[in-house]
Amino acid sequence: MWIVVVAVVAYVKVSLATQDPTFETPVVNVTVVEGATAVLPCKVSHLGRHKVAWTDQWSTLLAFMDTRIIDDERISVDRPYGNDWNLHISGVKLDDQGIYNCQINTKPVKIQTVVLNILVPPRILGTQSDTEVVVNEGLSVSLSCNVSGIPRPTVMWYKKPTQPGQSKDRIGFSGEVLLIHNVTRHCGGKYECVADNGVPPAVKRQINVGVKFPPEIHIHNKRIGQVRGKDTILECVVTAHPQGVSVWKFENKQLRKALQKYRVEVFEEGSHTITLSLRISKLDEHDYGEYTCVASNSMGSDSKRTILYEHIIPTKPPTTTTTTTRSTTTSLRPTKGKTDLMPGVYDYPSENGPPEYIPRPTLKKVHPLLPGGKNEPIVVGSAGSTGPESGARKNSVFIIVFLMCIFSLLNPL
């Protein structure tokens, strides 16, 4: 029985030794990013007495069994398991891309092909000197952003905001060249090209576009007034690129700091804009007139005028006190439907003038027969008196006459 077992084992060993080796993995593609380590797999079964070797697409022998043959320290053979004969390439380069062969020295030779693909992150070609472009207003300008990478990167263009906190704007179409026609001063600023091919990181570059244009002057106040002896400030806003010469003139003479009479200052207001300030101290009659702000550069010139006039503060007239005697006349002209005038004579000097009242004389007589022995005034009315008061007066006169008759009878002569 033991003889049979030994015979079977020997047969199996002979069978395995005579069986042809095979590859356990199919043809594969390996893709890695430039700079990483590429692992090219090769797994062989029933290798037996045969040998494994690695070659490249030019049939250059790279490794034999687990020994590196080529003089490139980046290449090695890794065998994590007994059937593995993996080729390692560390720090892969774009030149490493291609076809690699794992071979077994059978008759005929058995070969397993591995395709190595290298991904290259995007790069922008050129130097930093390409980041400054100057163009005259009204012309066209071409911005270039030449890139490389595998796969081919897509280039997008943006215009960066001029104010902080704003987002950049997408402009134009995708491509390595951005063409701007009929450039205006508003086209100036920072442009950014962004290249991306899906292999991080994406790259970008800024291109600063400077637009040259002639000066433009703006004066807020065409006329300004000030009193004598005071100071005043004249200002003009100059927008130009490049900034050239900006001055104030009075009677066609450039004003400079002299004897502390004039003071000229320049204030930066932002991109391509300045404020030119002229301070005039202690104004006198010779300082009033027309002032001119003049600016010029290589593209042209501009000028604007403003008038400084004397402001006169109006004075108040002196305050005087006068005493006026006013005579008040009460109108006593009878009104329609109402008669409440005092008894007496009324004189109307004019048709519309107020009546003048002339009071009647009051007659006083003392009579011993009056009741109570008191002196009472006796008012004698005119014959034309009417109304209740005139009737009372008539009765009083009648009583007095009657009493005087009785008195004369009682005291005969």
Side-chain angles (χ1 to χ4, degrees):
M1 181 176 179
W2 288 105
I3 297 174
V4 174
V5 171
V6 171
V8 171
V9 171
Y11 175 78
V12 170
K13 289 183 177 181
V14 170
S15 299
L16 293 174
T18 58
Q19 186 176 357
D20 289 338
T22 58
F23 293 106
E24 296 183 9
T25 56
V27 176
V28 295
N29 292 331
V30 176
T31 302
V32 295
V33 178
E34 185 182 36
T37 298
V39 178
L40 310 184
C42 183
K43 194 167 188 177
V44 180
S45 299
H46 314 299
L47 181 60
R49 296 187 300 268
H50 296 87
K51 306 299 179 182
V52 177
W54 277 96
T55 60
D56 61 14
Q57 55 191 336
W58 297 284
S59 300
T60 302
L61 182 61
L62 305 177
F64 180 77
M65 297 299 283
D66 56 0
T67 303
R68 172 173 56 86
I69 302 301
I70 191 173
D71 188 16
D72 189 345
E73 295 181 355
R74 298 181 302 126
I75 295 177
S76 63
V77 176
D78 182 34
R79 301 193 60 195
Y81 300 100
N83 294 341
D84 291 332
W85 301 87
N86 301 331
L87 182 67
H88 280 212
I89 306 175
S90 60
V92 293
K93 304 175 183 178
L94 181 60
D95 295 337
D96 296 329
Q97 179 173 277
I99 298 174
Y100 291 82
N101 299 314
C102 180
Q103 301 180 6
I104 305 175
N105 61 342
T106 56
K107 293 182 180 180
V109 176
K110 292 184 176 181
I111 299 174
Q112 176 175 280
T113 300
V114 179
V115 179
L116 177 60
N117 298 311
I118 307 296
L119 299 180
V120 180
R123 294 186 179 92
I124 298 178
L125 307 178
T127 62
Q128 293 298 324
S129 60
D130 300 331
T131 59
E132 292 288 337
V133 177
V134 178
V135 60
N136 292 345
E137 190 174 38
L139 301 181
S140 299
V141 64
S142 176
L143 307 182
S144 299
C145 195
N146 298 322
V147 298
S148 65
I150 299 176
R152 188 70 179 175
T154 299
V155 179
M156 311 295 289
W157 289 92
Y158 301 88
K159 191 174 190 298
K160 302 203 70 175
T162 56
Q163 300 295 331
Q166 298 178 347
S167 59
K168 58 186 179 182
D169 298 326
R170 167 80 184 279
I171 58 174
F173 301 97
S174 59
E176 297 184 25
V177 178
L178 176 66
L179 185 60
I180 306 175
H181 297 280
N182 194 21
V183 174
T184 67
R185 65 197 63 184
H186 305 292
C187 297
K190 294 182 179 180
Y191 291 79
E192 185 178 74
C193 65
V194 179
D196 188 12
N197 65 350
V199 182
V203 291
K204 57 187 177 181
R205 174 176 290 180
Q206 289 185 4
I207 301 177
N208 187 36
V209 176
V211 181
K212 298 172 65 175
F213 58 91
E216 283 188 358
I217 297 177
H218 179 70
I219 294 181
H220 298 288
N221 299 316
K222 302 299 182 182
R223 290 172 54 87
I224 184 170
Q226 182 60 285
V227 298
R228 293 189 186 186
K230 298 291 185 179
D231 295 356
T232 192
I233 296 177
L234 307 179
E235 290 184 339
C236 66
V237 179
V238 181
T239 303
H241 183 69
Q243 286 289 348
V245 178
S246 300
V247 297
W248 276 102
K249 289 185 177 182
F250 180 60
E251 295 181 350
N252 294 325
K253 295 181 181 179
Q254 181 177 341
L255 299 180
R256 294 185 174 89
K257 183 177 179 182
L259 301 177
Q260 298 182 350
K261 182 67 175 179
Y262 304 110
R263 182 178 178 182
V264 180
E265 294 180 300
V266 178
F267 301 95
E268 296 286 343
E269 301 294 346
S271 177
H272 313 314
T273 302
I274 64 171
T275 295
L276 188 65
S277 173
L278 172 64
R279 185 184 187 94
I280 309 173
S281 303
K282 298 179 180 180
L283 293 174
D284 56 36
E285 65 274 11
H286 303 292
D287 295 324
Y288 297 107
E290 186 177 76
Y291 288 78
T292 305
C293 178
V294 180
S296 61
N297 65 4
S298 59
M299 299 295 295
S301 62
D302 190 19
S303 64
K304 288 292 188 297
R305 295 175 175 83
T306 184
I307 296 177
L308 175 62
Y309 64 91
E310 181 178 3
H311 177 66
I312 300 177
I313 301 176
T315 58
K316 296 182 179 180
T319 303
T320 59
T321 304
T322 59
T323 303
T324 304
T325 303
R326 298 179 61 187
S327 59
T328 303
T329 303
T330 304
S331 175
L332 298 177
R333 184 185 297 276
T335 58
K336 183 179 181 180
K338 182 178 181 181
T339 304
D340 54 359
L341 300 179
M342 296 177 61
V345 179
Y346 293 87
D347 182 19
Y348 296 89
S350 63
E351 180 179 357
N352 299 322
E356 296 180 1
Y357 172 67
I358 304 175
R360 292 179 181 157
T362 301
L363 302 178
K364 295 184 180 181
K365 183 177 180 181
V366 178
H367 199 281
L369 297 180
L370 289 177
K374 296 181 181 181
N375 298 329
E376 295 291 341
I378 300 175
V379 180
V380 181
S382 63
S385 300
T386 60
E389 292 183 357
S390 62
R393 292 188 186 98
K394 289 180 179 181
N395 293 335
S396 300
V397 171
F398 177 78
I399 292 173
I400 293 172
V401 173
F402 177 75
L403 291 176
M404 291 178 65
C405 290
I406 293 176
F407 180 75
S408 62
L409 290 176
L410 293 178
N411 296 291
L413 296 174

